[in-house]
mmCIF file with all atom_site columns, all heavy atoms in Angstrom:
data_model
loop_
_atom_site.group_PDB
_atom_site.id
_atom_site.type_symbol
_atom_site.label_atom_id
_atom_site.label_alt_id
_atom_site.label_comp_id
_atom_site.label_asym_id
_atom_site.label_entity_id
_atom_site.label_seq_id
_atom_site.pdbx_PDB_ins_code
_atom_site.Cartn_x
_atom_site.Cartn_y
_atom_site.Cartn_z
_atom_site.occupancy
_atom_site.B_iso_or_equiv
_atom_site.pdbx_formal_charge
_atom_site.auth_seq_id
_atom_site.auth_comp_id
_atom_site.auth_asym_id
_atom_site.auth_atom_id
_atom_site.pdbx_PDB_model_num
ATOM 1   N N   . PHE A 1 1  ? 99.975  88.063  92.624  1.00 98.00 ? 1  PHE A N   1
ATOM 2   C CA  . PHE A 1 1  ? 98.968  87.368  91.939  1.00 98.00 ? 1  PHE A CA  1
ATOM 3   C C   . PHE A 1 1  ? 97.607  87.932  92.281  1.00 98.00 ? 1  PHE A C   1
ATOM 4   O O   . PHE A 1 1  ? 97.081  87.822  93.441  1.00 98.00 ? 1  PHE A O   1
ATOM 5   C CB  . PHE A 1 1  ? 98.959  85.771  92.285  1.00 98.00 ? 1  PHE A CB  1
ATOM 6   C CG  . PHE A 1 1  ? 100.183 85.180  91.864  1.00 98.00 ? 1  PHE A CG  1
ATOM 7   C CD1 . PHE A 1 1  ? 101.395 85.207  92.746  1.00 98.00 ? 1  PHE A CD1 1
ATOM 8   C CD2 . PHE A 1 1  ? 100.285 84.525  90.673  1.00 98.00 ? 1  PHE A CD2 1
ATOM 9   C CE1 . PHE A 1 1  ? 102.592 84.609  92.271  1.00 98.00 ? 1  PHE A CE1 1
ATOM 10  C CE2 . PHE A 1 1  ? 101.473 83.836  90.263  1.00 98.00 ? 1  PHE A CE2 1
ATOM 11  C CZ  . PHE A 1 1  ? 102.541 83.934  91.093  1.00 98.00 ? 1  PHE A CZ  1
ATOM 12  N N   . PRO A 1 2  ? 96.945  88.715  91.331  1.00 97.00 ? 2  PRO A N   1
ATOM 13  C CA  . PRO A 1 2  ? 95.713  89.377  91.592  1.00 97.00 ? 2  PRO A CA  1
ATOM 14  C C   . PRO A 1 2  ? 94.678  88.455  92.160  1.00 97.00 ? 2  PRO A C   1
ATOM 15  O O   . PRO A 1 2  ? 93.801  88.871  93.016  1.00 97.00 ? 2  PRO A O   1
ATOM 16  C CB  . PRO A 1 2  ? 95.347  89.905  90.284  1.00 97.00 ? 2  PRO A CB  1
ATOM 17  C CG  . PRO A 1 2  ? 96.664  90.056  89.525  1.00 97.00 ? 2  PRO A CG  1
ATOM 18  C CD  . PRO A 1 2  ? 97.510  88.977  90.004  1.00 97.00 ? 2  PRO A CD  1
ATOM 19  N N   . GLU A 1 3  ? 94.645  87.151  91.727  1.00 96.00 ? 3  GLU A N   1
ATOM 20  C CA  . GLU A 1 3  ? 93.629  86.226  92.176  1.00 96.00 ? 3  GLU A CA  1
ATOM 21  C C   . GLU A 1 3  ? 93.624  85.994  93.656  1.00 96.00 ? 3  GLU A C   1
ATOM 22  O O   . GLU A 1 3  ? 92.705  85.547  94.306  1.00 96.00 ? 3  GLU A O   1
ATOM 23  C CB  . GLU A 1 3  ? 93.566  85.110  91.322  1.00 96.00 ? 3  GLU A CB  1
ATOM 24  C CG  . GLU A 1 3  ? 94.820  84.185  91.411  1.00 96.00 ? 3  GLU A CG  1
ATOM 25  C CD  . GLU A 1 3  ? 95.825  84.596  90.303  1.00 96.00 ? 3  GLU A CD  1
ATOM 26  O OE1 . GLU A 1 3  ? 95.806  85.719  89.848  1.00 96.00 ? 3  GLU A OE1 1
ATOM 27  O OE2 . GLU A 1 3  ? 96.743  83.776  90.006  1.00 96.00 ? 3  GLU A OE2 1
ATOM 28  N N   . HIS A 1 4  ? 94.869  86.153  94.267  1.00 98.00 ? 4  HIS A N   1
ATOM 29  C CA  . HIS A 1 4  ? 95.023  85.770  95.669  1.00 98.00 ? 4  HIS A CA  1
ATOM 30  C C   . HIS A 1 4  ? 94.269  86.815  96.486  1.00 98.00 ? 4  HIS A C   1
ATOM 31  O O   . HIS A 1 4  ? 93.434  86.460  97.389  1.00 98.00 ? 4  HIS A O   1
ATOM 32  C CB  . HIS A 1 4  ? 96.450  85.807  96.033  1.00 98.00 ? 4  HIS A CB  1
ATOM 33  C CG  . HIS A 1 4  ? 96.739  85.226  97.432  1.00 98.00 ? 4  HIS A CG  1
ATOM 34  N ND1 . HIS A 1 4  ? 96.820  85.971  98.495  1.00 98.00 ? 4  HIS A ND1 1
ATOM 35  C CD2 . HIS A 1 4  ? 96.818  83.858  97.868  1.00 98.00 ? 4  HIS A CD2 1
ATOM 36  C CE1 . HIS A 1 4  ? 96.987  85.188  99.562  1.00 98.00 ? 4  HIS A CE1 1
ATOM 37  N NE2 . HIS A 1 4  ? 97.026  83.930  99.190  1.00 98.00 ? 4  HIS A NE2 1
ATOM 38  N N   . ALA A 1 5  ? 94.551  88.095  96.287  1.00 98.00 ? 5  ALA A N   1
ATOM 39  C CA  . ALA A 1 5  ? 93.746  89.098  96.998  1.00 98.00 ? 5  ALA A CA  1
ATOM 40  C C   . ALA A 1 5  ? 92.188  89.170  96.614  1.00 98.00 ? 5  ALA A C   1
ATOM 41  O O   . ALA A 1 5  ? 91.374  89.400  97.426  1.00 98.00 ? 5  ALA A O   1
ATOM 42  C CB  . ALA A 1 5  ? 94.327  90.429  96.817  1.00 98.00 ? 5  ALA A CB  1
ATOM 43  N N   . ARG A 1 6  ? 91.955  88.818  95.376  1.00 96.00 ? 6  ARG A N   1
ATOM 44  C CA  . ARG A 1 6  ? 90.587  88.740  94.957  1.00 96.00 ? 6  ARG A CA  1
ATOM 45  C C   . ARG A 1 6  ? 89.874  87.644  95.755  1.00 96.00 ? 6  ARG A C   1
ATOM 46  O O   . ARG A 1 6  ? 88.620  87.777  96.037  1.00 96.00 ? 6  ARG A O   1
ATOM 47  C CB  . ARG A 1 6  ? 90.481  88.558  93.470  1.00 96.00 ? 6  ARG A CB  1
ATOM 48  C CG  . ARG A 1 6  ? 89.030  88.336  92.887  1.00 96.00 ? 6  ARG A CG  1
ATOM 49  C CD  . ARG A 1 6  ? 88.128  89.415  93.205  1.00 96.00 ? 6  ARG A CD  1
ATOM 50  N NE  . ARG A 1 6  ? 88.544  90.758  92.861  1.00 96.00 ? 6  ARG A NE  1
ATOM 51  C CZ  . ARG A 1 6  ? 88.328  91.402  91.710  1.00 96.00 ? 6  ARG A CZ  1
ATOM 52  N NH1 . ARG A 1 6  ? 87.797  90.703  90.694  1.00 96.00 ? 6  ARG A NH1 1
ATOM 53  N NH2 . ARG A 1 6  ? 88.746  92.618  91.517  1.00 96.00 ? 6  ARG A NH2 1
ATOM 54  N N   . ALA A 1 7  ? 90.444  86.454  95.889  1.00 96.00 ? 7  ALA A N   1
ATOM 55  C CA  . ALA A 1 7  ? 89.826  85.443  96.685  1.00 96.00 ? 7  ALA A CA  1
ATOM 56  C C   . ALA A 1 7  ? 89.457  85.924  98.076  1.00 96.00 ? 7  ALA A C   1
ATOM 57  O O   . ALA A 1 7  ? 88.420  85.533  98.634  1.00 96.00 ? 7  ALA A O   1
ATOM 58  C CB  . ALA A 1 7  ? 90.738  84.186  96.737  1.00 96.00 ? 7  ALA A CB  1
ATOM 59  N N   . ALA A 1 8  ? 90.395  86.690  98.644  1.00 97.00 ? 8  ALA A N   1
ATOM 60  C CA  . ALA A 1 8  ? 90.046  87.197  100.010 1.00 97.00 ? 8  ALA A CA  1
ATOM 61  C C   . ALA A 1 8  ? 88.897  88.165  99.930  1.00 97.00 ? 8  ALA A C   1
ATOM 62  O O   . ALA A 1 8  ? 87.995  88.198  100.841 1.00 97.00 ? 8  ALA A O   1
ATOM 63  C CB  . ALA A 1 8  ? 91.340  87.911  100.544 1.00 97.00 ? 8  ALA A CB  1
ATOM 64  N N   . ALA A 1 9  ? 88.866  89.007  98.977  1.00 96.00 ? 9  ALA A N   1
ATOM 65  C CA  . ALA A 1 9  ? 87.813  90.080  98.820  1.00 96.00 ? 9  ALA A CA  1
ATOM 66  C C   . ALA A 1 9  ? 86.443  89.317  98.521  1.00 96.00 ? 9  ALA A C   1
ATOM 67  O O   . ALA A 1 9  ? 85.342  89.724  99.069  1.00 96.00 ? 9  ALA A O   1
ATOM 68  C CB  . ALA A 1 9  ? 88.099  90.984  97.683  1.00 96.00 ? 9  ALA A CB  1
ATOM 69  N N   . LEU A 1 10 ? 86.479  88.237  97.825  1.00 94.00 ? 10 LEU A N   1
ATOM 70  C CA  . LEU A 1 10 ? 85.281  87.519  97.503  1.00 94.00 ? 10 LEU A CA  1
ATOM 71  C C   . LEU A 1 10 ? 84.794  86.727  98.708  1.00 94.00 ? 10 LEU A C   1
ATOM 72  O O   . LEU A 1 10 ? 83.653  86.391  98.833  1.00 94.00 ? 10 LEU A O   1
ATOM 73  C CB  . LEU A 1 10 ? 85.496  86.582  96.299  1.00 94.00 ? 10 LEU A CB  1
ATOM 74  C CG  . LEU A 1 10 ? 85.662  87.287  94.948  1.00 94.00 ? 10 LEU A CG  1
ATOM 75  C CD1 . LEU A 1 10 ? 85.922  86.240  93.928  1.00 94.00 ? 10 LEU A CD1 1
ATOM 76  C CD2 . LEU A 1 10 ? 84.472  88.114  94.616  1.00 94.00 ? 10 LEU A CD2 1
ATOM 77  N N   . ASP A 1 11 ? 85.681  86.558  99.635  1.00 95.00 ? 11 ASP A N   1
ATOM 78  C CA  . ASP A 1 11 ? 85.343  85.927  100.943 1.00 95.00 ? 11 ASP A CA  1
ATOM 79  C C   . ASP A 1 11 ? 84.867  86.950  101.935 1.00 95.00 ? 11 ASP A C   1
ATOM 80  O O   . ASP A 1 11 ? 84.679  86.708  103.079 1.00 95.00 ? 11 ASP A O   1
ATOM 81  C CB  . ASP A 1 11 ? 86.561  85.129  101.522 1.00 95.00 ? 11 ASP A CB  1
ATOM 82  C CG  . ASP A 1 11 ? 86.135  84.187  102.642 1.00 95.00 ? 11 ASP A CG  1
ATOM 83  O OD1 . ASP A 1 11 ? 85.108  83.515  102.498 1.00 95.00 ? 11 ASP A OD1 1
ATOM 84  O OD2 . ASP A 1 11 ? 86.895  84.226  103.636 1.00 95.00 ? 11 ASP A OD2 1
ATOM 85  N N   . GLY A 1 12 ? 84.693  88.151  101.492 1.00 95.00 ? 12 GLY A N   1
ATOM 86  C CA  . GLY A 1 12 ? 84.128  89.257  102.319 1.00 95.00 ? 12 GLY A CA  1
ATOM 87  C C   . GLY A 1 12 ? 85.243  90.038  103.104 1.00 95.00 ? 12 GLY A C   1
ATOM 88  O O   . GLY A 1 12 ? 84.825  90.829  103.956 1.00 95.00 ? 12 GLY A O   1
ATOM 89  N N   . CYS A 1 13 ? 86.453  89.862  102.684 1.00 97.00 ? 13 CYS A N   1
ATOM 90  C CA  . CYS A 1 13 ? 87.508  90.623  103.440 1.00 97.00 ? 13 CYS A CA  1
ATOM 91  C C   . CYS A 1 13 ? 87.578  92.124  103.100 1.00 97.00 ? 13 CYS A C   1
ATOM 92  O O   . CYS A 1 13 ? 87.245  92.568  102.044 1.00 97.00 ? 13 CYS A O   1
ATOM 93  C CB  . CYS A 1 13 ? 88.894  90.104  103.054 1.00 97.00 ? 13 CYS A CB  1
ATOM 94  S SG  . CYS A 1 13 ? 89.253  88.395  103.776 1.00 97.00 ? 13 CYS A SG  1
ATOM 95  N N   . HIS A 1 14 ? 87.751  92.882  104.223 1.00 98.00 ? 14 HIS A N   1
ATOM 96  C CA  . HIS A 1 14 ? 87.808  94.360  104.150 1.00 98.00 ? 14 HIS A CA  1
ATOM 97  C C   . HIS A 1 14 ? 89.328  94.853  104.102 1.00 98.00 ? 14 HIS A C   1
ATOM 98  O O   . HIS A 1 14 ? 89.543  96.037  103.716 1.00 98.00 ? 14 HIS A O   1
ATOM 99  C CB  . HIS A 1 14 ? 87.213  94.878  105.398 1.00 98.00 ? 14 HIS A CB  1
ATOM 100 C CG  . HIS A 1 14 ? 85.853  94.371  105.602 1.00 98.00 ? 14 HIS A CG  1
ATOM 101 N ND1 . HIS A 1 14 ? 85.574  93.595  106.740 1.00 98.00 ? 14 HIS A ND1 1
ATOM 102 C CD2 . HIS A 1 14 ? 84.665  94.450  104.974 1.00 98.00 ? 14 HIS A CD2 1
ATOM 103 C CE1 . HIS A 1 14 ? 84.330  93.212  106.768 1.00 98.00 ? 14 HIS A CE1 1
ATOM 104 N NE2 . HIS A 1 14 ? 83.692  93.804  105.659 1.00 98.00 ? 14 HIS A NE2 1
ATOM 105 N N   . ALA A 1 15 ? 90.248  93.997  104.302 1.00 98.00 ? 15 ALA A N   1
ATOM 106 C CA  . ALA A 1 15 ? 91.689  94.273  104.229 1.00 98.00 ? 15 ALA A CA  1
ATOM 107 C C   . ALA A 1 15 ? 92.521  93.139  103.802 1.00 98.00 ? 15 ALA A C   1
ATOM 108 O O   . ALA A 1 15 ? 92.160  91.973  104.159 1.00 98.00 ? 15 ALA A O   1
ATOM 109 C CB  . ALA A 1 15 ? 92.190  94.899  105.510 1.00 98.00 ? 15 ALA A CB  1
ATOM 110 N N   . TYR A 1 16 ? 93.544  93.332  103.158 1.00 98.00 ? 16 TYR A N   1
ATOM 111 C CA  . TYR A 1 16 ? 94.538  92.274  102.639 1.00 98.00 ? 16 TYR A CA  1
ATOM 112 C C   . TYR A 1 16 ? 95.835  92.606  103.408 1.00 98.00 ? 16 TYR A C   1
ATOM 113 O O   . TYR A 1 16 ? 96.460  93.707  103.258 1.00 98.00 ? 16 TYR A O   1
ATOM 114 C CB  . TYR A 1 16 ? 94.682  92.375  101.139 1.00 98.00 ? 16 TYR A CB  1
ATOM 115 C CG  . TYR A 1 16 ? 95.580  91.406  100.514 1.00 98.00 ? 16 TYR A CG  1
ATOM 116 C CD1 . TYR A 1 16 ? 95.360  90.054  100.732 1.00 98.00 ? 16 TYR A CD1 1
ATOM 117 C CD2 . TYR A 1 16 ? 96.644  91.857  99.691  1.00 98.00 ? 16 TYR A CD2 1
ATOM 118 C CE1 . TYR A 1 16 ? 96.098  89.127  100.097 1.00 98.00 ? 16 TYR A CE1 1
ATOM 119 C CE2 . TYR A 1 16 ? 97.383  90.847  98.946  1.00 98.00 ? 16 TYR A CE2 1
ATOM 120 C CZ  . TYR A 1 16 ? 97.111  89.530  99.179  1.00 98.00 ? 16 TYR A CZ  1
ATOM 121 O OH  . TYR A 1 16 ? 97.876  88.597  98.513  1.00 98.00 ? 16 TYR A OH  1
ATOM 122 N N   . VAL A 1 17 ? 96.310  91.607  104.252 1.00 98.00 ? 17 VAL A N   1
ATOM 123 C CA  . VAL A 1 17 ? 97.352  91.893  105.261 1.00 98.00 ? 17 VAL A CA  1
ATOM 124 C C   . VAL A 1 17 ? 98.497  90.933  104.936 1.00 98.00 ? 17 VAL A C   1
ATOM 125 O O   . VAL A 1 17 ? 98.333  89.726  105.005 1.00 98.00 ? 17 VAL A O   1
ATOM 126 C CB  . VAL A 1 17 ? 96.882  91.637  106.680 1.00 98.00 ? 17 VAL A CB  1
ATOM 127 C CG1 . VAL A 1 17 ? 97.853  91.828  107.729 1.00 98.00 ? 17 VAL A CG1 1
ATOM 128 C CG2 . VAL A 1 17 ? 95.648  92.619  106.965 1.00 98.00 ? 17 VAL A CG2 1
ATOM 129 N N   . VAL A 1 18 ? 99.686  91.527  104.609 1.00 98.00 ? 18 VAL A N   1
ATOM 130 C CA  . VAL A 1 18 ? 100.826 90.711  104.091 1.00 98.00 ? 18 VAL A CA  1
ATOM 131 C C   . VAL A 1 18 ? 102.103 91.003  104.798 1.00 98.00 ? 18 VAL A C   1
ATOM 132 O O   . VAL A 1 18 ? 102.481 92.199  104.963 1.00 98.00 ? 18 VAL A O   1
ATOM 133 C CB  . VAL A 1 18 ? 100.958 91.046  102.557 1.00 98.00 ? 18 VAL A CB  1
ATOM 134 C CG1 . VAL A 1 18 ? 102.157 90.371  101.971 1.00 98.00 ? 18 VAL A CG1 1
ATOM 135 C CG2 . VAL A 1 18 ? 99.698  90.733  101.794 1.00 98.00 ? 18 VAL A CG2 1
ATOM 136 N N   . GLY A 1 19 ? 102.817 89.979  105.205 1.00 98.00 ? 19 GLY A N   1
ATOM 137 C CA  . GLY A 1 19 ? 104.259 90.142  105.600 1.00 98.00 ? 19 GLY A CA  1
ATOM 138 C C   . GLY A 1 19 ? 105.112 89.632  104.442 1.00 98.00 ? 19 GLY A C   1
ATOM 139 O O   . GLY A 1 19 ? 104.802 88.621  103.815 1.00 98.00 ? 19 GLY A O   1
ATOM 140 N N   . ALA A 1 20 ? 106.266 90.320  104.226 1.00 98.00 ? 20 ALA A N   1
ATOM 141 C CA  . ALA A 1 20 ? 106.950 90.045  102.986 1.00 98.00 ? 20 ALA A CA  1
ATOM 142 C C   . ALA A 1 20 ? 108.440 90.384  103.118 1.00 98.00 ? 20 ALA A C   1
ATOM 143 O O   . ALA A 1 20 ? 108.923 90.786  104.160 1.00 98.00 ? 20 ALA A O   1
ATOM 144 C CB  . ALA A 1 20 ? 106.428 91.032  101.917 1.00 98.00 ? 20 ALA A CB  1
ATOM 145 N N   . LEU A 1 21 ? 109.175 90.013  102.062 1.00 98.00 ? 21 LEU A N   1
ATOM 146 C CA  . LEU A 1 21 ? 110.516 90.450  101.863 1.00 98.00 ? 21 LEU A CA  1
ATOM 147 C C   . LEU A 1 21 ? 110.640 91.064  100.456 1.00 98.00 ? 21 LEU A C   1
ATOM 148 O O   . LEU A 1 21 ? 110.496 90.314  99.433  1.00 98.00 ? 21 LEU A O   1
ATOM 149 C CB  . LEU A 1 21 ? 111.530 89.296  101.964 1.00 98.00 ? 21 LEU A CB  1
ATOM 150 C CG  . LEU A 1 21 ? 113.025 89.671  101.900 1.00 98.00 ? 21 LEU A CG  1
ATOM 151 C CD1 . LEU A 1 21 ? 113.854 88.633  102.551 1.00 98.00 ? 21 LEU A CD1 1
ATOM 152 C CD2 . LEU A 1 21 ? 113.523 89.988  100.499 1.00 98.00 ? 21 LEU A CD2 1
ATOM 153 N N   . PHE A 1 22 ? 110.678 92.403  100.448 1.00 98.00 ? 22 PHE A N   1
ATOM 154 C CA  . PHE A 1 22 ? 111.003 93.086  99.197  1.00 98.00 ? 22 PHE A CA  1
ATOM 155 C C   . PHE A 1 22 ? 112.364 93.700  99.247  1.00 98.00 ? 22 PHE A C   1
ATOM 156 O O   . PHE A 1 22 ? 112.731 94.250  100.369 1.00 98.00 ? 22 PHE A O   1
ATOM 157 C CB  . PHE A 1 22 ? 109.956 94.187  98.913  1.00 98.00 ? 22 PHE A CB  1
ATOM 158 C CG  . PHE A 1 22 ? 108.590 93.638  98.492  1.00 98.00 ? 22 PHE A CG  1
ATOM 159 C CD1 . PHE A 1 22 ? 107.597 93.496  99.403  1.00 98.00 ? 22 PHE A CD1 1
ATOM 160 C CD2 . PHE A 1 22 ? 108.439 93.317  97.116  1.00 98.00 ? 22 PHE A CD2 1
ATOM 161 C CE1 . PHE A 1 22 ? 106.260 93.025  98.985  1.00 98.00 ? 22 PHE A CE1 1
ATOM 162 C CE2 . PHE A 1 22 ? 107.196 92.764  96.754  1.00 98.00 ? 22 PHE A CE2 1
ATOM 163 C CZ  . PHE A 1 22 ? 106.144 92.650  97.606  1.00 98.00 ? 22 PHE A CZ  1
ATOM 164 N N   . SER A 1 23 ? 113.189 93.525  98.267  1.00 97.00 ? 23 SER A N   1
ATOM 165 C CA  . SER A 1 23 ? 114.585 93.911  98.312  1.00 97.00 ? 23 SER A CA  1
ATOM 166 C C   . SER A 1 23 ? 114.885 95.201  97.568  1.00 97.00 ? 23 SER A C   1
ATOM 167 O O   . SER A 1 23 ? 114.134 95.657  96.825  1.00 97.00 ? 23 SER A O   1
ATOM 168 C CB  . SER A 1 23 ? 115.457 92.732  97.824  1.00 97.00 ? 23 SER A CB  1
ATOM 169 O OG  . SER A 1 23 ? 115.135 92.427  96.510  1.00 97.00 ? 23 SER A OG  1
ATOM 170 N N   . VAL A 1 24 ? 116.076 95.722  97.857  1.00 96.00 ? 24 VAL A N   1
ATOM 171 C CA  . VAL A 1 24 ? 116.557 96.824  97.166  1.00 96.00 ? 24 VAL A CA  1
ATOM 172 C C   . VAL A 1 24 ? 116.728 96.448  95.624  1.00 96.00 ? 24 VAL A C   1
ATOM 173 O O   . VAL A 1 24 ? 117.137 95.297  95.335  1.00 96.00 ? 24 VAL A O   1
ATOM 174 C CB  . VAL A 1 24 ? 117.956 97.300  97.760  1.00 96.00 ? 24 VAL A CB  1
ATOM 175 C CG1 . VAL A 1 24 ? 118.608 98.331  96.791  1.00 96.00 ? 24 VAL A CG1 1
ATOM 176 C CG2 . VAL A 1 24 ? 117.766 97.811  99.136  1.00 96.00 ? 24 VAL A CG2 1
ATOM 177 N N   . GLY A 1 25 ? 116.426 97.337  94.751  1.00 91.00 ? 25 GLY A N   1
ATOM 178 C CA  . GLY A 1 25 ? 116.486 96.972  93.287  1.00 91.00 ? 25 GLY A CA  1
ATOM 179 C C   . GLY A 1 25 ? 114.982 97.048  92.882  1.00 91.00 ? 25 GLY A C   1
ATOM 180 O O   . GLY A 1 25 ? 114.379 98.149  92.811  1.00 91.00 ? 25 GLY A O   1
ATOM 181 N N   . ASN A 1 26 ? 114.476 95.928  92.420  1.00 93.00 ? 26 ASN A N   1
ATOM 182 C CA  . ASN A 1 26 ? 113.151 95.943  91.912  1.00 93.00 ? 26 ASN A CA  1
ATOM 183 C C   . ASN A 1 26 ? 112.005 95.862  93.067  1.00 93.00 ? 26 ASN A C   1
ATOM 184 O O   . ASN A 1 26 ? 110.874 95.975  92.665  1.00 93.00 ? 26 ASN A O   1
ATOM 185 C CB  . ASN A 1 26 ? 112.917 94.751  90.927  1.00 93.00 ? 26 ASN A CB  1
ATOM 186 C CG  . ASN A 1 26 ? 111.797 94.945  89.912  1.00 93.00 ? 26 ASN A CG  1
ATOM 187 O OD1 . ASN A 1 26 ? 111.682 96.058  89.374  1.00 93.00 ? 26 ASN A OD1 1
ATOM 188 N ND2 . ASN A 1 26 ? 111.057 93.918  89.656  1.00 93.00 ? 26 ASN A ND2 1
ATOM 189 N N   . GLY A 1 27 ? 112.375 95.538  94.265  1.00 96.00 ? 27 GLY A N   1
ATOM 190 C CA  . GLY A 1 27 ? 111.357 95.286  95.178  1.00 96.00 ? 27 GLY A CA  1
ATOM 191 C C   . GLY A 1 27 ? 110.443 96.343  95.500  1.00 96.00 ? 27 GLY A C   1
ATOM 192 O O   . GLY A 1 27 ? 109.292 96.230  95.685  1.00 96.00 ? 27 GLY A O   1
ATOM 193 N N   . TYR A 1 28 ? 111.050 97.664  95.608  1.00 97.00 ? 28 TYR A N   1
ATOM 194 C CA  . TYR A 1 28 ? 110.181 98.764  95.960  1.00 97.00 ? 28 TYR A CA  1
ATOM 195 C C   . TYR A 1 28 ? 109.270 98.982  94.849  1.00 97.00 ? 28 TYR A C   1
ATOM 196 O O   . TYR A 1 28 ? 108.041 99.313  95.087  1.00 97.00 ? 28 TYR A O   1
ATOM 197 C CB  . TYR A 1 28 ? 111.050 99.980  96.172  1.00 97.00 ? 28 TYR A CB  1
ATOM 198 C CG  . TYR A 1 28 ? 110.265 101.198 96.727  1.00 97.00 ? 28 TYR A CG  1
ATOM 199 C CD1 . TYR A 1 28 ? 109.977 101.378 97.994  1.00 97.00 ? 28 TYR A CD1 1
ATOM 200 C CD2 . TYR A 1 28 ? 109.892 102.140 95.779  1.00 97.00 ? 28 TYR A CD2 1
ATOM 201 C CE1 . TYR A 1 28 ? 109.197 102.443 98.395  1.00 97.00 ? 28 TYR A CE1 1
ATOM 202 C CE2 . TYR A 1 28 ? 109.077 103.183 96.148  1.00 97.00 ? 28 TYR A CE2 1
ATOM 203 C CZ  . TYR A 1 28 ? 108.831 103.408 97.422  1.00 97.00 ? 28 TYR A CZ  1
ATOM 204 O OH  . TYR A 1 28 ? 108.048 104.502 97.855  1.00 97.00 ? 28 TYR A OH  1
ATOM 205 N N   . HIS A 1 29 ? 109.671 98.881  93.601  1.00 97.00 ? 29 HIS A N   1
ATOM 206 C CA  . HIS A 1 29 ? 108.785 99.133  92.397  1.00 97.00 ? 29 HIS A CA  1
ATOM 207 C C   . HIS A 1 29 ? 107.665 98.088  92.521  1.00 97.00 ? 29 HIS A C   1
ATOM 208 O O   . HIS A 1 29 ? 106.491 98.372  92.253  1.00 97.00 ? 29 HIS A O   1
ATOM 209 C CB  . HIS A 1 29 ? 109.577 99.012  91.175  1.00 97.00 ? 29 HIS A CB  1
ATOM 210 C CG  . HIS A 1 29 ? 108.669 98.897  89.973  1.00 97.00 ? 29 HIS A CG  1
ATOM 211 N ND1 . HIS A 1 29 ? 107.961 99.986  89.438  1.00 97.00 ? 29 HIS A ND1 1
ATOM 212 C CD2 . HIS A 1 29 ? 108.407 97.823  89.097  1.00 97.00 ? 29 HIS A CD2 1
ATOM 213 C CE1 . HIS A 1 29 ? 107.321 99.566  88.345  1.00 97.00 ? 29 HIS A CE1 1
ATOM 214 N NE2 . HIS A 1 29 ? 107.485 98.258  88.185  1.00 97.00 ? 29 HIS A NE2 1
ATOM 215 N N   . GLU A 1 30 ? 108.031 96.769  92.684  1.00 97.00 ? 30 GLU A N   1
ATOM 216 C CA  . GLU A 1 30 ? 107.043 95.750  92.625  1.00 97.00 ? 30 GLU A CA  1
ATOM 217 C C   . GLU A 1 30 ? 105.900 96.046  93.798  1.00 97.00 ? 30 GLU A C   1
ATOM 218 O O   . GLU A 1 30 ? 104.777 96.008  93.457  1.00 97.00 ? 30 GLU A O   1
ATOM 219 C CB  . GLU A 1 30 ? 107.665 94.437  92.920  1.00 97.00 ? 30 GLU A CB  1
ATOM 220 C CG  . GLU A 1 30 ? 108.379 93.804  91.789  1.00 97.00 ? 30 GLU A CG  1
ATOM 221 C CD  . GLU A 1 30 ? 108.937 92.511  92.123  1.00 97.00 ? 30 GLU A CD  1
ATOM 222 O OE1 . GLU A 1 30 ? 109.163 92.132  93.319  1.00 97.00 ? 30 GLU A OE1 1
ATOM 223 O OE2 . GLU A 1 30 ? 109.323 91.795  91.148  1.00 97.00 ? 30 GLU A OE2 1
ATOM 224 N N   . SER A 1 31 ? 106.409 96.342  94.989  1.00 98.00 ? 31 SER A N   1
ATOM 225 C CA  . SER A 1 31 ? 105.451 96.569  96.026  1.00 98.00 ? 31 SER A CA  1
ATOM 226 C C   . SER A 1 31 ? 104.593 97.772  95.815  1.00 98.00 ? 31 SER A C   1
ATOM 227 O O   . SER A 1 31 ? 103.412 97.689  96.158  1.00 98.00 ? 31 SER A O   1
ATOM 228 C CB  . SER A 1 31 ? 106.210 96.654  97.445  1.00 98.00 ? 31 SER A CB  1
ATOM 229 O OG  . SER A 1 31 ? 106.942 97.858  97.469  1.00 98.00 ? 31 SER A OG  1
ATOM 230 N N   . ARG A 1 32 ? 105.124 98.767  95.272  1.00 97.00 ? 32 ARG A N   1
ATOM 231 C CA  . ARG A 1 32 ? 104.357 100.017 94.921  1.00 97.00 ? 32 ARG A CA  1
ATOM 232 C C   . ARG A 1 32 ? 103.459 99.801  93.733  1.00 97.00 ? 32 ARG A C   1
ATOM 233 O O   . ARG A 1 32 ? 102.587 100.689 93.474  1.00 97.00 ? 32 ARG A O   1
ATOM 234 C CB  . ARG A 1 32 ? 105.205 101.240 94.829  1.00 97.00 ? 32 ARG A CB  1
ATOM 235 C CG  . ARG A 1 32 ? 105.459 101.977 96.162  1.00 97.00 ? 32 ARG A CG  1
ATOM 236 C CD  . ARG A 1 32 ? 105.916 101.002 97.229  1.00 97.00 ? 32 ARG A CD  1
ATOM 237 N NE  . ARG A 1 32 ? 105.784 101.541 98.546  1.00 97.00 ? 32 ARG A NE  1
ATOM 238 C CZ  . ARG A 1 32 ? 106.149 100.941 99.685  1.00 97.00 ? 32 ARG A CZ  1
ATOM 239 N NH1 . ARG A 1 32 ? 106.525 99.637  99.608  1.00 97.00 ? 32 ARG A NH1 1
ATOM 240 N NH2 . ARG A 1 32 ? 105.980 101.503 100.845 1.00 97.00 ? 32 ARG A NH2 1
#
């Protein structure tokens, strides 16, 4: 969701730090 990282940036963030589960199949494409 673009607005999630944008909210961090508008709060002055210099980095967006995420722990996730991306799976074989569509996950690599989504994350990239």
Side-chain angles (χ1 to χ4, degrees):
F1 295 83
E3 60 270 22
H4 191 266
R6 176 55 55 87
L10 293 176
D11 193 46
C13 287
H14 309 112
Y16 184 53
V17 178
V18 177
L21 187 159
F22 286 100
S23 61
V24 170
N26 202 42
Y28 186 83
H29 167 72
E30 286 179 341
S31 66
R32 269 52 194 176

